[in-house]
Amino acid sequence: MIDAGLSCPNIDGTCGVGGCIFCDGGSGYFTQDKAFSVTEQLQAEKVRIHKKSPESKIIAYFQTHTNTYASVEKLRALYEEALAFGVYGVSIATRPDCIGENALSLLKELNGKTHLTVELGLQSSNDETAARIHRG
C-alpha cells in the first residue's frame, strides 16, 4: 500500500478538519512511509510480498487519504511512477466527491494502460452516520 502524501477535503479544512474515523488506525494504517518515493514504497512491498509468494504480481494500491485529491499533473506523475515500476495494476482509493472531470479523464487514460480499480469510499449515505464518523 502506497502513501502518496496526499490530503483529503476532510483533513485540509475544505469540508472538515482532523479527518474521519478511518484516518487514524484505519485508512493507511499498513502503508509504507510517505517520506519514500512511490518506487521505494513499491520495492519494499515487493520484498515483503515475495517472501511469502515469490511469483506474485504487484498492484500499486494508493490507499492513504484521497488519491485523486491533487492536481492532475501531480496525480499523473504518481501513477506513471507506479507504472514504470512494472506493476500489474493500479488501485486508487478516493472519495466520490473528489473525482472531477480532469481526474476522471486521467483515470480513463490510466485504465487504457493497466488493470485499474477505483475504490470509492462512500462509507454511508446517511447524514447522521456521516456526522457521527466525522466524514465531512
Side-chain angles (χ1 to χ4, degrees), residues 2-114:
I2 298 169
D3 184 339
L6 302 177
S7 188
C8 174
N10 199 33
I11 293 174
D12 71 4
T14 301
C15 72
V17 292
C20 65
I21 65 170
F22 300 102
C23 287
D24 185 26
S27 175
Y29 187 68
F30 297 104
T31 57
Q32 295 292 323
D33 188 333
K34 67 183 174 188
F36 297 106
S37 70
V38 169
T39 299
E40 291 167 325
Q41 291 181 58
L42 285 169
Q43 183 59 43
E45 283 298 297
K46 182 177 179 179
V47 168
R48 183 185 66 78
I49 291 166
H50 283 182
K51 282 181 183 178
K52 283 186 171 184
S53 183
E55 301 302 317
S56 292
K57 295 178 181 178
I58 306 297
I59 294 174
Y61 182 20
F62 290 86
Q63 199 251 351
T64 306
H65 303 307
T66 304
N67 291 281
T68 57
Y69 194 61
S71 71
V72 172
E73 294 77 20
K74 180 172 184 163
L75 296 174
R76 182 185 314 282
L78 293 167
Y79 305 154
E80 291 291 337
E81 184 177 350
L83 292 178
F85 184 81
V87 296
Y88 177 75
V90 174
S91 183
I92 299 169
T94 190
R95 297 166 52 120
D97 58 340
C98 291
I99 302 181
E101 289 299 320
N102 292 337
L104 191 58
S105 293
L106 177 59
L107 294 175
K108 182 177 178 182
E109 178 185 321
L110 186 60
N111 188 51
K113 297 179 179 182
T114 191

